[in-house]
Amino acid sequence: MADHTTRTAYTVESLLAVTVDVFNERGYDGTSMEDLSRAAGISKSSIYHHVRGKEELLRLAVGRALDGLFAILAEPEAVAGPAVERLEHVVRRTAEVLLDELPYVTLLLRVRGNTATEQWALERRRDFDHQVAELLRAAVADGALRADVEPRLATRLLFGMINSIVEWYRPGLKAADGVADAVVHLAFDGLRAR
Amino acid sequence: MADHTTRTAYTVESLLAVTVDVFNERGYDGTSMEDLSRAAGISKSSIYHHVRGKEELLRLAVGRALDGLFAILAEPEAVAGPAVERLEHVVRRTAEVLLDELPYVTLLLRVRGNTATEQWALERRRDFDHQVAELLRAAVADGALRADVEPRLATRLLFGMINSIVEWYRPGLKAADGVADAVVHLAFDGLRAR
């Protein structure tokens, strides 16, 4: 029994790794169960043994990205201390989770559609952004962050910068060293030498 | 004759305005001449009177965005003066051109494909990014910008922030006031209060 469970878990995991790549390449709407079966090298009925269908695979894949992101907000450094330091931690860790879970976060950022799962993913993403915006607002209220950039606009530009990493980052790319550090430097202190 | 020319020019312009919206909504690949004819409310043969087809419309639309961006590099403030001030001007103006030509720049940023026109657009975009990266490198060499963020990485994050504006900006949105100012503040001085 234990053995069977382990094997099943492994299969769902590896199926998900294939699925997320196919979704990112062809788009969720443009992917059929046939495409997934071909890419995974297993029959459609084997896939249906594990999941109810394409939408459940999407839920599992974007769920993995969302779990990684929300876990940041529960980390001790995100929970206690001055708002500006909590925000700095969250910004750095968000970039790190994006890099660690690149295909899953890429998929999450491309979700646009109208299925219940896509709506749920968009809602959870907005919730994450909202919590970061609140932290930013608190840091402005503390006087630690400049007050002349509207907090919602600042949050949008901040996530714009972080999320754009999925457009060009490839593991092993030389220019990719120290991405999370660069994000934190740029976001908090800007490019200007001091 | 003058009258005819004026009318023709007007028609191409308004056809382009419709086309860019359809391309952004359905994707270039997903758009047929039939779709364009329906959206513009004119026959396909009327469209063919002005352009050879879909690819020429794409070239005109992304060309408009590219012309706007490259014109920045020729502005006096981008040509003379310390590199850091030229870069600051280019960053601000890039954000402004993006806002002014929102649908055209949005289309440019979504170009991915394999037609000659798409390849040309990608090449021109890379050329623009490259020229900005050179400016950034010069400002680092002058000691005006921090040397601990690799210039290519800094350029990518900078454009990531600017280009992300197309994802959420809608004319009239309250949080959109002062977008170009916010970009310049964030990019050069960061969020931290001083």
Side-chain angles (χ1 to χ4, degrees):
Chain A
M1 256 326 254
D3 208 43
H4 174 74
T5 309
T6 309
R7 193 142 39 91
T8 303
Y10 174 75
T11 309
V12 169
E13 173 99 355
S14 58
L15 177 59
L16 214 53
V18 172
T19 297
V20 73
D21 287 343
V22 179
F23 283 167
N24 281 331
E25 200 180 309
R26 308 176 61 97
Y28 174 67
D29 288 338
T31 301
S32 66
M33 286 300 280
E34 191 62 41
D35 295 327
L36 295 179
S37 153
R38 222 186 340 255
I42 58 175
S43 69
K44 279 199 273 183
S45 67
S46 296
I47 299 180
Y48 283 118
H49 179 71
H50 296 299
V51 294
R52 267 162 304 171
K54 203 173 83 155
E55 194 170 342
E56 186 172 349
L57 284 166
L58 180 69
R59 188 178 59 74
L60 290 169
V62 297
R64 179 163 158 164
L66 288 162
D67 288 349
L69 292 171
F70 276 94
I72 296 168
L73 302 177
E75 289 170 357
E77 301 91 330
V79 174
V84 65
E85 288 174 24
R86 291 159 61 199
L87 180 67
E88 198 170 318
H89 177 77
V90 169
V91 167
R92 177 185 302 280
R93 293 284 298 127
T94 298
E96 288 173 352
V97 166
L98 180 146
L99 297 171
D100 288 345
E101 302 284 357
L102 190 67
Y104 298 94
V105 177
T106 301
L107 181 64
L108 175 65
L109 295 176
R110 291 187 184 162
V111 161
R112 286 285 178 282
N114 293 308
T115 63
T117 297
E118 288 166 285
Q119 288 300 313
W120 164 80
L122 286 171
E123 187 53 50
R124 292 263 289 161
R125 231 191 102 185
R126 267 194 295 269
D127 184 16
F128 182 79
D129 292 6
H130 181 75
Q131 293 197 44
V132 177
E134 283 305 310
L135 213 44
L136 197 147
R137 218 168 255 120
V140 172
D142 290 349
L145 295 189
R146 58 196 305 154
D148 63 348
V149 177
E150 201 272 322
R152 201 150 58 112
L153 176 53
T155 309
R156 279 176 162 140
L157 293 174
L158 194 53
F159 278 116
M161 181 170 66
I162 297 173
N163 294 342
S164 71
I165 296 170
V166 306
E167 302 298 331
W168 56 266
Y169 181 82
R170 296 299 168 263
L173 196 67
K174 191 170 161 285
D177 289 346
V179 171
D181 278 343
V183 165
V184 171
H185 287 328
L186 218 162
F188 288 88
D189 297 310
L191 289 171
R192 211 182 300 278
R194 290 178 200 290
Chain B
M1 254 326 252
D3 210 42
H4 173 74
T5 308
T6 309
R7 193 144 35 94
T8 303
Y10 174 74
T11 309
V12 169
E13 173 100 356
S14 59
L15 177 60
L16 215 52
V18 172
T19 298
V20 73
D21 287 343
V22 179
F23 283 167
N24 281 331
E25 199 180 309
R26 308 178 60 98
Y28 174 66
D29 288 336
T31 301
S32 66
M33 287 299 280
E34 191 62 42
D35 295 328
L36 295 178
S37 153
R38 221 187 341 255
I42 58 176
S43 69
K44 279 199 273 184
S45 67
S46 297
I47 298 180
Y48 284 118
H49 180 70
H50 296 298
V51 293
R52 266 163 303 170
K54 204 173 82 155
E55 193 169 342
E56 185 171 351
L57 285 166
L58 180 68
R59 189 179 59 74
L60 291 169
V62 298
R64 179 163 159 166
L66 287 163
D67 288 349
L69 292 171
F70 276 93
I72 296 169
L73 302 178
E75 288 170 357
E77 300 91 330
V79 173
V84 64
E85 287 173 25
R86 292 159 60 200
L87 180 67
E88 196 169 320
H89 177 78
V90 169
V91 166
R92 176 185 303 280
R93 292 285 298 126
T94 298
E96 286 172 355
V97 167
L98 179 146
L99 297 172
D100 287 346
E101 302 286 357
L102 191 67
Y104 298 94
V105 177
T106 302
L107 182 63
L108 175 66
L109 295 177
R110 291 187 183 161
V111 161
R112 287 285 178 280
N114 293 308
T115 63
T117 298
E118 287 166 286
Q119 288 300 313
W120 163 81
L122 285 171
E123 186 53 50
R124 293 263 288 160
R125 230 192 103 185
R126 266 194 295 268
D127 185 17
F128 182 79
D129 291 7
H130 180 75
Q131 293 196 44
V132 177
E134 283 305 309
L135 212 46
L136 196 145
R137 217 168 256 123
V140 172
D142 290 348
L145 294 188
R146 56 195 306 155
D148 62 348
V149 177
E150 201 274 320
R152 201 150 57 113
L153 176 53
T155 309
R156 280 178 160 139
L157 293 174
L158 194 52
F159 278 115
M161 181 170 67
I162 296 172
N163 294 343
S164 73
I165 296 169
V166 306
E167 302 298 330
W168 57 265
Y169 181 82
R170 297 297 168 265
L173 196 67
K174 192 172 161 282
D177 289 347
V179 171
D181 278 343
V183 165
V184 171
H185 287 327
L186 217 162
F188 289 88
D189 297 310
L191 289 170
R192 213 182 297 281
R194 293 181 197 287

